[in-house]
Amino acid sequence: MLTVGQRFRRPEPRRRMRDFVRGLLAPLPRKNCWTIAEHAGDTGPDGMQDLLTRVKWDDAEVRADVREFVGHHLGDAEAVLVIDETGDLKKGRHTVGVQRQYSGTAGKIENCQVAVHLVYATDAGHAMLDTALYLPQSWCDDAERRAEAGVPEQVRFATKPQLASRMIAAAVTADTGLPCRWVAGDEAYGNDPRLAAQLRQLRLGYVLAVACSHQVITGLGAYRVDALAAGLPATAWQRVSAGRGAKGHRYYDWSFTALPHAADAHGGHHWLLIRRNRRTGELASYRCWAPEPVPLRSLVLVAGRRWKIEESFQAAKTGLGLDQHQNRRWTSWHRWTTLPILAHAFLAAATTHRSRPDPAGLIALTVNELRHPFNVLIIEPARSRCDPLLWSVRRRRHQARATTSHYARQALTEP
């Protein structure tokens, strides 16, 4: 059972936390403190806003509870820790961490926040574990903006691989460390040698994507990985599935080259893994390491499991409100983001606990699918209701005050 009530001293915030997560699980068209409070039957949004701002609780401790819960329900010695970032488009410059930067969500440079996430992926399922907001150097150097956004004094600039490194270390070195064997990530993490060195120190195997310009040392000298791939004979390629997909197995051609000259004080075995698309010929390359020798198929399956984090992002954003926050400050951002992570972990664990196998002709229960019957059968019968007319009056009064404020501010500078 996922229990975080111990993180709250009083019963009121415990109940508020319960109602907030129920609101995230509910099929609300938009998720914010107003809509969640109305769904919970509150007479106003103040209580939900207080949960994100004034109530005393530690979001890091709640995410530690989530990690313990996921380890208990999905724990697998062969599990993969997947790291990746996602961006939320934002306007203005006052929301914590916002600046013009590359967003994978938009596929280009936009005004956005970027956060690094950690997902736990096994054969049985996958669940979100942890998050860290990326604070750009411009923010770290701006004392005024830091103070306005409530950024703690001890927070210093950290690259995305450094943020990932901290989350991975916290996951595997805690008293209830997660059972896992592998780490997977894209080029942003594969191109950082310090992250790879830390993973070797932790004895975690990895399959990390690298750029085509990445160089490796072979017995014949240093080569760019794209040049090395171009010189491989036809016999060097093997057709292997990277895992099951919605439309069949994801077959690619793979090459597998040992890199004994990459050995260091951590020992183990280094490889260069290259994937070739069977139709387009497009290449993707990975630096790999493991404490013990492993077959090609094991590395391919780890590479394929990296896509589980994209499924987690999709489920958390479309169904659990991960990107719908309206929080400008450091603490409220972390608290909001923690709650969809908690909700996702709950659903992910629930999909794996079935007393009987799925009937013939049905796919396995998914996080997105489970959310609907859970809301209809559990949340709706139990939730309280308030007069919707009162909420209509409250919304219109709030909008009227905002309009008056905007016009008054404009009158100070405009004729």
Side-chain angles (χ1 to χ4, degrees):
M1 182 176 180
L2 180 48
T3 302
V4 297
Q6 60 183 325
R7 304 303 179 185
F8 301 90
R9 297 179 180 179
R10 299 172 61 245
E12 291 85 354
R14 286 199 293 269
R15 289 195 293 267
R16 194 78 66 188
M17 167 72 87
R18 177 202 63 193
D19 292 341
F20 202 108
V21 174
R22 283 179 175 177
L24 293 176
L25 291 167
L28 302 176
R30 184 73 181 173
K31 294 186 170 80
N32 54 47
C33 289
W34 284 68
T35 60
I36 291 173
E38 183 176 5
H39 178 269
D42 295 350
T43 57
D46 297 345
M48 295 302 181
Q49 292 171 342
D50 285 348
L51 183 66
L52 300 181
T53 55
R54 298 182 181 88
V55 175
K56 290 185 178 181
W57 61 283
D58 190 328
D59 54 270
E61 291 180 346
V62 171
R63 294 195 298 276
D65 291 338
V66 171
R67 292 196 299 269
E68 182 177 355
F69 172 81
V70 170
H72 177 72
H73 291 275
L74 295 177
D76 185 342
E78 295 294 319
V80 180
L81 294 176
V82 188
I83 48 177
D84 200 1
E85 73 269 3
T86 185
D88 297 335
L89 302 184
K90 295 293 177 182
K91 296 180 180 179
R93 62 185 299 273
H94 299 290
T95 300
V96 62
V98 162
Q99 73 167 21
R100 286 189 61 79
Q101 54 192 322
Y102 180 78
S103 166
T105 304
K108 58 182 178 179
I109 294 176
E110 289 282 1
N111 205 55
C112 64
Q113 284 175 311
V114 173
V116 181
H117 285 263
L118 182 67
V119 161
Y120 188 76
T122 71
D123 286 336
H126 53 96
M128 303 182 77
L129 289 180
D130 207 349
T131 186
L133 179 65
Y134 172 69
L135 199 65
Q137 188 72 62
S138 62
W139 267 86
C140 292
D141 297 339
D142 192 329
E144 182 178 351
R145 278 210 293 177
R146 287 176 62 111
E148 289 179 355
V151 178
E153 291 185 4
Q154 66 270 24
V155 174
R156 296 292 182 265
F157 175 74
T159 65
K160 295 167 191 173
Q162 286 173 331
L163 296 175
S165 176
R166 294 172 188 173
M167 290 190 290
I168 292 169
V172 300
T173 61
D175 292 338
T176 55
L178 279 170
C180 58
R181 185 180 180 186
W182 299 97
V183 173
D186 64 15
E187 292 180 14
Y189 307 95
N191 290 331
D192 189 308
R194 292 169 296 182
L195 174 60
Q198 190 206 26
L199 297 179
R200 293 195 293 272
Q201 183 177 358
L202 292 171
R203 312 307 288 173
L204 287 172
Y206 56 79
V207 178
L208 300 173
V210 293
C212 62
S213 58
H214 182 81
Q215 288 199 338
V216 296
I217 306 296
T218 71
L220 299 176
Y223 287 88
R224 281 174 51 121
V225 295
D226 54 358
L228 186 63
L232 290 173
T235 55
W237 299 94
Q238 302 179 49
R239 187 156 298 173
V240 182
S241 170
R244 298 173 63 90
K247 298 181 180 180
H249 283 279
R250 293 176 288 153
Y251 284 110
Y252 294 91
D253 292 333
W254 302 83
S255 75
F256 182 51
T257 304
L259 301 174
H261 295 276
D264 60 8
H266 301 297
H269 301 264
H270 294 257
W271 299 275
L272 174 67
L273 182 66
I274 303 177
R275 186 192 72 195
R276 184 175 66 190
N277 189 290
R278 295 167 59 191
R279 292 186 297 275
T280 67
E282 181 182 7
L283 300 176
S285 303
Y286 306 83
R287 285 298 298 263
C288 309
W289 180 86
E292 304 293 337
V294 295
L296 169 64
R297 178 171 178 77
S298 295
L299 298 179
V300 169
L301 290 177
V302 174
R305 197 163 283 173
R306 185 175 73 85
W307 295 105
K308 295 298 183 182
I309 199 167
E310 301 296 340
E311 296 179 15
S312 296
F313 287 155
Q314 189 271 341
K317 288 187 175 186
T318 61
L320 301 173
L322 178 66
D323 60 344
Q324 295 179 24
H325 61 87
Q326 299 174 349
N327 308 291
R328 286 188 170 185
R329 295 175 62 81
W330 176 272
T331 297
S332 56
W333 182 92
H334 281 85
R335 289 182 173 185
W336 175 281
T337 307
T338 295
L339 299 183
I341 288 174
L342 184 155
H344 185 271
F346 165 73
L347 291 175
T351 62
T352 66
H353 286 270
R354 297 182 295 276
S355 58
R356 293 179 296 178
D358 295 305
L362 298 179
I363 66 168
L365 196 60
T366 65
V367 165
N368 281 336
E369 181 59 35
L370 178 61
R371 191 169 55 87
H372 299 289
F374 183 80
N375 179 71
V376 171
L377 300 175
I378 305 297
I379 296 179
E380 283 298 324
R383 78 184 183 96
S384 59
R385 299 179 184 274
C386 65
D387 189 341
L389 293 179
L390 295 178
W391 273 92
S392 176
V393 170
R394 177 178 284 274
R395 281 192 293 267
R396 289 157 55 205
R397 181 183 296 119
H398 177 79
Q399 291 162 3
R401 289 173 178 170
T403 300
T404 301
S405 176
H406 290 316
Y407 274 85
R409 186 180 296 110
Q410 185 186 54
L412 297 175
T413 58
E414 299 291 339

Coordinates of all heavy atoms in Angstrom, one line a residue, residues 74 115 187 204 206 298 325 367 374 382 408-409:
L74 N 6.9 -3.6 -7.9 CA 7.5 -3.9 -9.3 C 8.9 -4.3 -9.2 O 9.5 -4.5 -10.3 CB 7.4 -2.6 -10.1 CG 6.0 -2.1 -10.5 CD1 6.1 -0.8 -11.3 CD2 5.2 -3.1 -11.3
A115 N 12.6 19.7 -16.9 CA 12.8 18.8 -15.7 C 13.3 17.5 -16.1 O 12.9 16.9 -17.1 CB 11.5 18.7 -14.9
E187 N 21.2 10.8 -25.7 CA 22.5 11.4 -26.0 C 22.9 12.4 -24.9 O 24.1 12.6 -24.6 CB 22.6 12.1 -27.3 CG 22.5 11.1 -28.5 CD 22.6 11.8 -29.8 OE1 22.9 13.0 -29.9 OE2 22.2 11.1 -30.9
L204 N 26.3 -0.4 -11.9 CA 25.1 -0.4 -12.7 C 25.5 -0.5 -14.2 O 26.2 0.4 -14.7 CB 24.3 0.8 -12.4 CG 23.5 0.9 -11.1 CD1 22.9 2.3 -10.9 CD2 22.5 -0.2 -11.0
Y206 N 24.9 0.0 -18.2 CA 24.2 1.0 -18.9 C 24.3 0.9 -20.4 O 25.2 0.2 -20.9 CB 24.8 2.4 -18.5 CG 26.3 2.6 -18.7 CD1 26.8 2.9 -20.0 CD2 27.2 2.6 -17.7 CE1 28.1 3.1 -20.2 CE2 28.5 2.8 -17.9 CZ 29.0 3.1 -19.2 OH 30.3 3.3 -19.4
S298 N 20.6 -8.9 -24.5 CA 20.4 -8.2 -23.3 C 20.5 -6.7 -23.5 O 19.7 -5.9 -23.0 CB 21.3 -8.7 -22.2 OG 21.1 -10.0 -21.9
H325 N 0.4 22.4 -14.2 CA 0.6 23.2 -13.0 C 0.6 24.7 -13.4 O 0.9 25.1 -14.5 CB 1.9 22.8 -12.3 CG 3.1 23.1 -13.2 ND1 3.7 24.3 -13.2 CD2 3.7 22.2 -14.0 CE1 4.8 24.2 -14.0 NE2 4.8 23.0 -14.5
V367 N -2.1 1.8 -17.6 CA -2.3 2.9 -16.6 C -3.5 3.8 -17.1 O -4.3 4.2 -16.3 CB -1.0 3.7 -16.5 CG1 -1.3 5.1 -15.8 CG2 0.0 2.9 -15.7
F374 N -11.3 3.1 -12.2 CA -11.0 3.5 -10.8 C -11.8 4.7 -10.4 O -12.3 4.8 -9.3 CB -9.5 3.7 -10.6 CG -9.1 4.1 -9.2 CD1 -8.9 3.1 -8.3 CD2 -8.9 5.4 -8.8 CE1 -8.6 3.4 -7.0 CE2 -8.5 5.7 -7.5 CZ -8.4 4.7 -6.6
A382 N -17.4 8.0 -3.6 CA -17.0 8.4 -2.3 C -16.8 9.9 -2.2 O -16.8 10.4 -1.1 CB -15.6 7.7 -2.1
A408 N -6.3 48.8 -13.7 CA -5.7 49.8 -12.8 C -4.2 49.9 -13.0 O -3.7 51.0 -12.9 CB -6.1 49.4 -11.3
R409 N -3.6 48.7 -13.2 CA -2.1 48.8 -13.4 C -1.8 49.5 -14.7 O -0.8 50.2 -14.8 CB -1.6 47.3 -13.4 CG -0.1 47.3 -13.5 CD 0.5 45.9 -13.6 NE 0.2 45.2 -12.3 CZ -0.7 44.2 -12.2 NH1 -1.4 43.8 -13.2 NH2 -0.9 43.6 -11.0

